Amino acid sequence: MDERRNDGYKGRVTSAATLHDLLCRQIVEQMPDAVIFADRDGVVRLWNRAAETVFGYSADEALGQSLDLIIPERFRARHWDGYARVMETGTTRYGTRLLAVPAMRKDGQRISIEFSIALLKDERGRVTGAAAIVRDVTARWHEERELRQRLAALEESARGGRPAPGGGESPAAP
């Protein structure tokens, strides 16, 4: 084993594979963003400390439960239609994009989250589930909404009080 590579783990790590596993576990647990894995059926199988903070559910409460824990009721049908399709086909149009959607905390508070996903597959290439890195962006969403409103008011004032065409809210609105 290369001692320089494993300097901080000397004596505790016996192989490169063991070091890799240890590092992966530590990265997931220490990550400041929520890390969640749900299996093919949408059952939560991994829920790190940051997920506890973001959503308010302890790992004990979330593990073994449906993702419905965090999906607002009015978005569930759409979510599950897409989730089932992705689990069946193994492809998603969101693979490289950052998604922004509303979510729910244990206390019922709606929050705005951004997340990226990765589909995990078994040795035959069959999707086993989806991993997500999730960030609560509620505060930023509110700040941006306030700025949009201020800008719209300034533009309206500049047009002599006529409202701007279009408008509307972001789909990630909490």
Side-chain angles (χ1 to χ4, degrees), residues 72 74-75 102-105 107-112 138 142 171-174:
R74 72 183 200 139
F75 297 108
M104 293 291 291
R105 289 181 40 83
D107 62 10
Q109 178 186 359
R110 295 249 333 236
I111 60 174
S112 183
T138 306
H142 285 294

Side-chain angles (χ1 to χ4, degrees), residues 105-164:
R105 289 181 40 83
K106 180 181 178 179
D107 62 10
Q109 178 186 359
R110 295 249 333 236
I111 60 174
S112 183
I113 61 170
E114 290 181 346
F115 67 101
S116 55
I117 62 169
L119 298 179
L120 303 187
K121 299 179 180 182
D122 64 18
E123 59 281 348
R124 296 178 317 223
R126 182 174 179 252
V127 176
T128 58
I133 307 296
V134 181
R135 179 171 289 170
D136 181 351
V137 295
T138 306
R140 186 181 79 210
W141 188 90
H142 285 294
E143 290 167 3
E144 289 174 355
R145 181 179 67 177
E146 182 180 323
L147 288 172
R148 285 189 303 271
Q149 289 170 343
R150 290 174 62 195
L151 179 59
L154 287 170
E155 289 174 343
E156 185 175 336
S157 176
R159 284 189 306 278
R162 293 185 313 271

Side-chain angles (χ1 to χ4, degrees), residues 31-155:
M31 184 66 60
D33 293 327
V35 179
I36 300 169
F37 174 78
D39 65 17
R40 288 181 64 85
D41 297 320
V43 175
V44 176
R45 301 297 177 192
L46 176 68
W47 188 266
N48 74 346
R49 288 183 209 153
E52 293 179 345
T53 302
V54 169
F55 296 106
Y57 292 96
S58 70
D60 287 340
E61 293 172 306
L63 293 173
Q65 300 300 313
S66 165
L67 284 171
D68 283 346
L69 281 175
I70 61 174
I71 302 169
E73 190 169 340
R74 72 183 200 139
F75 297 108
R76 289 179 186 165
R78 181 177 173 192
H79 165 82
W80 290 117
D81 287 346
Y83 196 87
R85 188 172 42 258
V86 167
M87 291 301 117
E88 187 60 36
T89 65
T91 60
T92 174
R93 61 184 172 170
Y94 302 120
T96 59
R97 292 183 24 208
L98 188 63
L99 303 171
V101 298
M104 293 291 291
R105 289 181 40 83
K106 180 181 178 179
D107 62 10
Q109 178 186 359
R110 295 249 333 236
I111 60 174
S112 183
I113 61 170
E114 290 181 346
F115 67 101
S116 55
I117 62 169
L119 298 179
L120 303 187
K121 299 179 180 182
D122 64 18
E123 59 281 348
R124 296 178 317 223
R126 182 174 179 252
V127 176
T128 58
I133 307 296
V134 181
R135 179 171 289 170
D136 181 351
V137 295
T138 306
R140 186 181 79 210
W141 188 90
H142 285 294
E143 290 167 3
E144 289 174 355
R145 181 179 67 177
E146 182 180 323
L147 288 172
R148 285 189 303 271
Q149 289 170 343
R150 290 174 62 195
L151 179 59
L154 287 170
E155 289 174 343

